[in-house]
Amino acid sequence: MDDTTTTRLPRADARRNRERLLAEARASFAEHGTDASLEEIAAGAGVGIGTLYRHFPSRQHLLEALLREHFDALGATGRELVTSRAPWPALTEWTRAFVAATTTFRGLTGEVAHTLDHADSSLHAACLAMREAGEALLDRARDAGEVRPDVGTTDFFLLVSGVAWAHEQGRDASADRIDRLLAVVFAGIRPTTAAH
């Protein structure tokens, strides 16, 4: 009994440390962006920097832990929209969700853009599943004649990531601004013959 208790205590303590680190990182990234000091995150969680690195070997690993749920949800939403909505509404709904997820923390848009092209990134797998969901929606809308044939996946993600980046740079952080910018993108990717 005592041996079992002894072996479980460090695990429970490690779990508490991990949860405190995630909570502190979430608050710090929300306030200071993704470049927030890891040392300050560790101190705010009441642990040393070594403990932070034991749980999260890099800043990207920490971001991955915070964002995996968002990205997994985007992948699941995309897969559900493929079968439940018409092509154009499905694509626009998913795109709005993508921009919302990638503006969770200032600086995240650049991290996401980087990881989509770098398979060695710890965020790559989660981003890849999300990207595949968006690509399926884009392909479906293009096949239905709702998106210009020359708009490829890379162009599409650059455009919507640009909206997310512009949003996080400006002083107007309202949802209306995202909607206005996305309306311009949506108008630009539609063929002139598509119904508006």
Side-chain angles (χ1 to χ4, degrees), residues 138 142 147-153 155-156 188-191:
L138 180 67
R142 193 186 308 104
V147 171
R148 289 169 33 182
D150 61 331
V151 177
T153 304
D155 291 341
F156 172 74
I189 68 172
R190 297 205 83 179

Side-chain angles (χ1 to χ4, degrees), residues 10-23 45-47 51 54-56:
R11 287 191 208 158
D13 188 48
R15 281 195 301 273
R16 281 192 299 273
N17 285 343
R18 186 177 195 279
E19 291 309 312
R20 283 200 306 265
L21 284 163
L22 287 172
V47 301
T51 299
R54 274 195 298 280
H55 288 282
F56 309 105

Side-chain angles (χ1 to χ4, degrees), residues 19-59:
E19 291 309 312
R20 283 200 306 265
L21 284 163
L22 287 172
E24 187 64 28
R26 188 176 291 111
S28 189
F29 287 159
E31 184 176 354
H32 304 292
T34 58
D35 289 333
S37 165
L38 297 184
E39 289 80 5
E40 289 180 13
I41 289 171
V47 301
I49 191 66
T51 299
L52 183 148
Y53 283 122
R54 274 195 298 280
H55 288 282
F56 309 105
S58 70
R59 184 179 301 272

